[in-house]
Amino acid sequence: MAVKQAVFLVGGKGTRLGALTATTPKPLLAIASDMLLLDLLIEDAARHGFTDIVLLAGHLGDSVERLYHGRQIKDATIRVIREPEPAGTGGALRHAASILDPWFLLANGDSWFDINLRALTIAPPRNALARIALRSMADTARYGSVELHGRRITAFTEKKAAEGPGLINGGLYLLNRAILDHIAGPCSIEQDVFPELVRQGAVEGRVFDGYFLDIGLPETLAQARRELPLRLTRPAAFLDRDGVLNIDRGYTHRPEQLQWIEGAREAVLALNEAGYLAFVVTNQAGVAHGFYHEADMHAFHARMQTELADIGGHIDAFYHCPFHPDATIPRYRHPSHPDRKPNPGMLLKARREWRVRDRGSFLVGDRESDIEAANRAGIPAMLFDGVDLLATVRQALAAVRPAASPPPKPIFLETPAMQAG
């Protein structure tokens, strides 16, 4: 089953930021006029399909609890657990032992590594307790390095001893709950637990190429405020469902009916890896005609998400229109509902609810009504021939990328292992 729990460590004091964190926890510092760093991290986890988000709070934890406990962001529910006294990253995790899933994502609450989180959590290892997201660097001297042989991490080198090109710890971890057996009291996950597990051969590594930045220093906080607002928007791919993602059997709605179009799952994964938002926009006249309920459709979409997660992919959101001019169910009868393609309502709704960058966005559909909806929304569209969706998506990406402004190149200033304050 897909990993559903994401745990964030938000208990550090942030002493190197001085007065900025005297009354505000570091993860609650603003990086844009309408966003805290922790907002960005939670939204990113939620869009990847993590529905149980846990914040482990320490320093000024009442502020974290007041802002987030019990909130719903996208499909994710947030809960805050406050540690009674400082116990390090390992101790904080131990304090949350009773609520941890068998496998969960662990992340620092003061840094962002922009990767496909589903690719990190795919197929948890059978013979390891941890998997660490790694990043290649031209010079690891400032960060410490990680030795990787095959999939297995074999050593960590402290930052003062590391030099030259290599891999660094990106601060995102897939962990087995059994890691708690190696945490006896206050300790650091990075400095105490992981090295011991490496000696036991129980830590995997996976290399990702993505933007990384933390806000642990005044200069990196300033950099985050300059650069991250440019990254808060993403281009989107709008995908019709029946006939584009799955075989259209006529009012398809039962999970067991799901049969993917050739290359469809791989196409979604390619969009995820390219940093795109992936939306499904589907007319669902079967609901209007009483052939099935919206709950049945949601179950079908849940099956799609599960089978996408099996290969490390995900859909960010499903949009559907159950209205039809000739609906059998009166409440679904509408002469021309704004959401029903060729009207662009579902695309416009996604724009309102997500930070969508129009440049680079596109739609793939198999009917003229899909293409017209895209035209009315002002984005390019491709008519799918039903053969290989991956090939079509690759063609679309190649066509729109020149029109999209490239984001700033990643700059790596600090790793989680450096965050002592």
Side-chain angles (χ1 to χ4, degrees):
M1 297 295 291
V3 176
K4 293 294 186 181
Q5 188 176 65
V7 180
F8 290 92
L9 297 163
V10 296
K13 291 186 177 181
T15 53
R16 288 172 296 176
L17 291 172
L20 289 172
T21 52
T23 58
T24 303
K26 186 166 43 172
L28 299 191
L29 293 174
I31 57 170
S33 59
D34 62 342
M35 175 164 283
L36 311 179
L37 178 62
L38 193 51
D39 291 336
L40 170 61
L41 299 178
I42 292 172
E43 286 189 9
D44 198 48
R47 79 179 187 87
H48 280 90
F50 293 90
T51 54
D52 179 18
I53 293 181
V54 180
L55 307 181
L56 303 184
H59 176 62
L60 301 175
D62 56 332
S63 299
V64 177
E65 188 171 33
R66 187 167 55 251
L67 279 176
Y68 291 101
H69 188 68
R71 281 181 59 186
Q72 187 93 12
I73 294 182
K74 306 300 182 187
D75 292 329
T77 301
I78 306 170
R79 45 184 167 165
V80 177
I81 295 180
R82 294 172 59 183
E83 56 182 345
E85 57 186 24
T89 54
L93 197 61
R94 185 76 192 176
H95 183 65
S98 63
I99 58 91
L100 293 177
D101 284 351
W103 285 97
F104 59 94
L105 178 75
L106 180 69
N108 287 325
D110 56 2
S111 63
W112 184 37
F113 193 8
D114 186 15
I115 67 170
N116 177 6
L117 297 176
R118 278 289 153 217
L120 176 64
T121 59
I122 184 176
R126 295 177 179 271
N127 299 312
L129 296 179
R131 178 186 292 156
I132 301 177
L134 306 175
R135 181 60 163 85
S136 179
M137 288 287 291
D139 186 2
T140 63
R142 293 186 60 188
Y143 315 101
S145 64
V146 180
E147 295 295 327
L148 182 68
H149 291 272
R151 295 183 177 181
R152 196 74 60 180
I153 291 177
T154 57
F156 295 102
T157 301
E158 293 295 329
K159 60 185 178 180
K160 293 181 180 179
E163 60 180 358
L167 299 173
I168 65 168
N169 177 352
L172 289 169
Y173 317 112
L174 173 64
L175 300 182
N176 189 302
R177 186 173 56 201
I179 198 171
L180 297 175
D181 296 337
H182 300 265
I183 302 174
C187 65
S188 164
I189 287 281
E190 298 87 358
Q191 298 175 8
D192 301 316
V193 180
F194 284 159
E196 176 59 31
L197 292 179
V198 163
R199 286 189 284 271
Q200 298 176 18
V203 183
E204 281 191 358
R206 188 161 294 184
V207 181
F208 294 88
D209 182 9
Y211 179 92
F212 174 85
L213 187 67
D214 78 85
I215 59 169
L217 300 170
E219 55 266 36
T220 59
L221 175 60
Q223 182 184 358
R225 287 170 171 170
R226 289 193 310 271
E227 296 182 2
L228 291 187
L230 301 175
R231 293 180 168 272
L232 295 182
T233 60
R234 298 175 184 267
F238 297 89
L239 306 171
D240 182 44
R241 199 192 79 177
D242 299 334
V244 173
L245 287 172
N246 59 278
I247 301 293
D248 187 356
R249 301 182 181 279
Y251 301 114
T252 309
H253 66 279
R254 294 196 301 274
E256 63 270 20
Q257 291 178 310
L258 175 58
Q259 182 178 351
W260 294 91
I261 294 283
E262 182 180 352
R265 289 199 303 167
E266 293 77 9
V268 173
L269 178 59
L271 292 167
N272 300 151
E273 296 291 343
Y276 268 65
L277 296 167
F279 300 130
V280 168
V281 286
T282 174
N283 287 344
Q284 288 293 305
V287 175
H289 296 319
F291 298 145
Y292 52 90
H293 301 290
E294 288 185 84
D296 300 314
M297 177 204 65
H298 292 313
F300 186 84
H301 292 165
R303 171 67 69 87
M304 297 183 85
Q305 288 285 47
T306 296
E307 295 192 10
L308 283 167
D310 288 342
I311 66 166
H314 73 280
I315 294 293
D316 289 284
F318 291 85
Y319 291 91
H320 74 282
C321 179
F323 299 95
H324 192 277
D326 301 318
T328 304
I329 310 297
R331 69 176 180 274
Y332 293 125
R333 191 177 303 135
H334 193 287
S336 181
H337 195 278
D339 287 350
R340 181 170 173 78
K341 294 177 290 186
N343 294 325
M346 289 185 284
L347 285 72
L348 301 180
K349 186 180 296 185
R351 279 176 171 167
R352 292 193 301 269
E353 295 179 349
W354 298 76
R355 293 177 174 84
V356 175
R357 185 170 72 232
D358 287 345
R359 286 187 301 174
S361 295
F362 61 89
L363 176 144
V364 178
D366 64 338
R367 298 187 180 186
E368 289 299 329
S369 59
D370 298 318
I371 307 306
E372 179 61 22
N375 290 338
R376 294 183 187 182
I379 63 171
M382 295 193 70
L383 189 63
F384 179 51
D385 60 8
V387 177
D388 184 346
L389 186 60
L390 178 59
T392 300
V393 164
R394 284 175 173 168
Q395 183 181 353
L397 289 172
V400 300
R401 273 175 173 164
S405 299
K409 292 182 178 180
I411 299 175
F412 298 87
L413 295 180
E414 190 176 10
T415 61
M418 299 174 64
Q419 297 178 16

